[in-house]
Amino acid sequence: MFKYIVRGGKELSGIIEISGAKNAAVGMIPAAILVDGVCRIENIPQISDTNIQLGILRTLGASVKMVNPHTMDIDCGGIKTPVADFDMMQKLRASYYLIGALLGKFGEAVVAMPGGCNFGGVRPIDQHVKGFEAMGATVELKNGLVYAKAEGGRLHGANIYLDVVSVGATINLMLAAVLAKGRTIIENAAREPHIVDVANFLNSMGADVRGAGTNVIKIRGVDHLTGGFYSIIPDQIEAGTYMAAVAGTGGELIIRNVIPKHLNCISGKLEEMGVEVEEGEDEVLVRRHGPLRRTNFKTQPYPGFPTDMQPQLTTVLAIANGTSRVTEGVWDSRYKYVDELTKMGANIRVDGRTAYVEGVSKLTGAHVKACDLRAGAAMVIAGLCAEGVTEIEGVEYVERGYEELIKKLRSVGADIECIEIPDADTAIPNAG
Ligand code: EPU
């Protein structure tokens, strides 16, 4: 096991390159199951979540060849079974995409219930199941396993209204629908950039998916998908995390290889807080030299403020002037990290889905833990802003979603290192 040691109080300055979007990659890798022939996927982030997904494909019988560290040739022609490796599946949330992909391809899927970051509440998949059933599958959840089978061996198109806006259900139902017989309409669909990216990937392989990025997605089933080439979009949340980091420490970062439009709501909030953000074609310059001001924000599905940026921005607000109000509008609970921030001197009171953040003049280094992926990123930001030394345990969470975090931060002046904890007796956490 490893921990991060952060010596805080240094301004960040320089250039950071953003990797491919995790939450697009984890949808696209299982989507390759639907394709006959080789799909070359470029800009895959080198993080443990994508490595696990690729490992699951290999154990199913797929050939995965590395062209370079971020480009893989995936050929799923060798997959002969719809039964996925249970242990690996339980290591991440996005393994639920195996259900849609296997069901769409083979008319059958036997998979373990997904793992994933535990925010302190339940993470149901009822909307996924409802959609599969509408498309003619029977789905049974028994002893931690999901057994799904399409009547007659092939799903059929259906009209599906999602009761909650769900990223996972939207992508999973798209995967199930591309090879189904007839037309599927997903209403109240999620609109995140990674949903559009997965739809574009499927279309580039011959699928007929329209409307991704709006709340109505129409999919006309085709008989087969053929191989092709696709490059994943940059990671909105990775970019936002570094934007929050420089907002907290002060200094000036150029964040490169981004789609600035995807960052609009993050940029807007930072500007309200006294941070300058200048948009370029595929980069943003983020600069803060003056004081940080309070603000309020509420997380919502895209194009609202992303829940996956909530812990990072709340951490910056912890050292802003005045009292800020943060409302979590996506998850029932995502404030476990607040106890850790409190150890560093933050003054935050949580009441249900709302956190009242009373800005303090400084945070002080402490021994803290990463409770989940984004909470871990928040601890890193807190450590960078704090006076003294912060030790962060549980960093395996962070490494599931951020490629080369330490290297990228060190290259812009952060004093952060990753060291091995001898004989640590800690279980490997799940993510995403
Ligand atoms: N929900 C249901 N039923 C369902 C599915 C979701 O009630 O069948 C509820 C959830 O409980 C939640 C809301 O709907 O309250 C939204 O959940 P969603 O399905 O959108 O979340 P997810 O697909 O499980 C993905 C990301 C999360 C991100 C959320 C929201 C992946 C692998 N994970 O999760 O990312 O927080 O969308 O944007 O794409 C992260 O990257 O740190 C992370 C946790």
Side-chain angles (χ1 to χ4, degrees), residues 22-24 26 49 92-97 117 119 122-129 164-171 190 192 194 237 300-302 306-308 329-332 334 353 372-374 431-432:
K22 165 181 99 77
N23 287 346
V26 295
D49 266 18
L92 79 164
R93 177 74 180 164
S95 53
Y96 50 35
Y97 295 137
C117 285
F119 305 134
V122 283
R123 291 186 66 174
I125 58 163
D126 57 298
Q127 297 303 305
H128 307 229
V129 171
V164 287
V165 178
S166 159
V167 169
T170 303
I171 293 182
E192 270 67 4
H194 34 285
I237 304 300
Q300 282 170 320
Y302 191 83
T307 172
D308 294 342
V330 175
W331 297 106
D332 289 341
R334 202 175 187 172
R353 283 178 167 228
D372 62 55
L373 167 58
R374 307 304 171 187

Side-chain angles (χ1 to χ4, degrees), residues 21-32 53 94 97 101 171 175 194 198 201-202:
K22 165 181 99 77
N23 287 346
V26 295
M28 236 171 260
I29 294 168
Q53 291 271 43
Y97 295 137
I171 293 182
L175 300 189
H194 34 285
V198 174
F201 165 83
L202 292 167

Side-chain angles (χ1 to χ4, degrees), residues 246-257:
V246 67
T249 61
E252 186 168 320
L253 281 188
I254 294 175
I255 299 170
R256 214 165 250 172
N257 183 32

